Amino acid sequence: MTCYPHLPSAGAATCDLCHDRRPAAGAPVLTVRPPLGPQRQVRLCTPCSEDRPGRRRRELIEEDFSWQVMARQAHDLADAYAAGRWLPYEDEHRWALGLARTYWTRPALEAALRDPNPYLRAGRLVRVVEPLPRILGVVGAGDRALRPAQALLDTLAVRSAR
């Protein structure tokens, strides 16, 4: 899992996607075309520029926003799990093991999300996985945009395999 340092903002503008870091020096200006209102220009930090699903485009796409939510939730859950603040349900561990062993395609993840298990629905892991089919509509299964979710599922799968 790639970890990017948080740069002190010192009053500078923040990335328009993650709102955590300063935009990269010399980063290209991207376009956002919201459903309502005029289009606007935005700048991204280095991690968002390099890892978002639409990184080959000159505009932000819906999947970039889905990716940002997924990445933030995956990092938050991984941190909480490592610190012992989040203990997944046993069913979430088994689900993570199955997902970690599955070749990720849009249909495969959509099928996994249709699992009616109430413990999966009540858990926090499902919120990390929900955006993945949408993201996989833009990138391939081995793309770097999927790394936060893959790292979290791999961590849970290791514990599940014991």
Side-chain angles (χ1 to χ4, degrees):
M1 178 163 70
T2 305
C3 184
Y4 296 96
H6 289 274
L7 302 174
S9 62
T14 59
C15 171
D16 286 295
L17 190 56
C18 71
H19 306 289
D20 286 339
R21 300 168 194 88
R22 286 197 315 229
V29 175
L30 302 173
T31 303
V32 175
R33 293 176 180 20
L36 297 173
Q39 77 178 28
R40 60 187 173 94
Q41 304 295 310
V42 297
R43 293 180 62 116
L44 304 180
C45 63
T46 301
C48 288
S49 293
E50 294 174 355
D51 294 347
R52 69 187 178 94
R55 65 186 165 273
R56 292 178 185 88
R57 301 175 189 204
R58 302 287 293 166
E59 65 184 13
L60 288 180
I61 57 176
E62 287 183 41
E63 290 80 0
D64 292 332
F65 295 101
S66 296
W67 165 80
Q68 178 31 252
V69 170
M70 177 276 299
R72 182 176 302 267
Q73 289 178 346
H75 287 293
D76 289 349
L77 276 183
D79 289 346
Y81 183 69
R85 293 187 318 267
W86 174 57
L87 298 173
Y89 295 116
E90 193 60 38
D91 293 342
E92 287 179 298
H93 275 290
R94 280 195 295 279
W95 196 53
L97 179 62
L99 288 174
R101 292 179 175 173
T102 300
Y103 182 75
W104 287 8
T105 62
R106 190 175 189 159
L109 288 175
E110 287 171 344
L113 286 165
R114 283 192 294 268
D115 189 322
N117 185 326
Y119 290 103
L120 291 178
R121 294 280 147 223
R124 294 174 61 189
L125 183 59
V126 73
R127 289 181 292 215
V128 172
V129 177
E130 282 175 332
L132 294 178
R134 175 181 214 112
I135 295 168
L136 280 166
V138 177
V139 300
D143 193 85
R144 66 190 307 150
L146 304 172
R147 287 181 185 165
Q150 289 169 330
L152 175 63
L153 290 169
D154 289 345
T155 299
L156 295 175
V158 167
R159 190 244 177 221
S160 298
R162 291 185 206 160

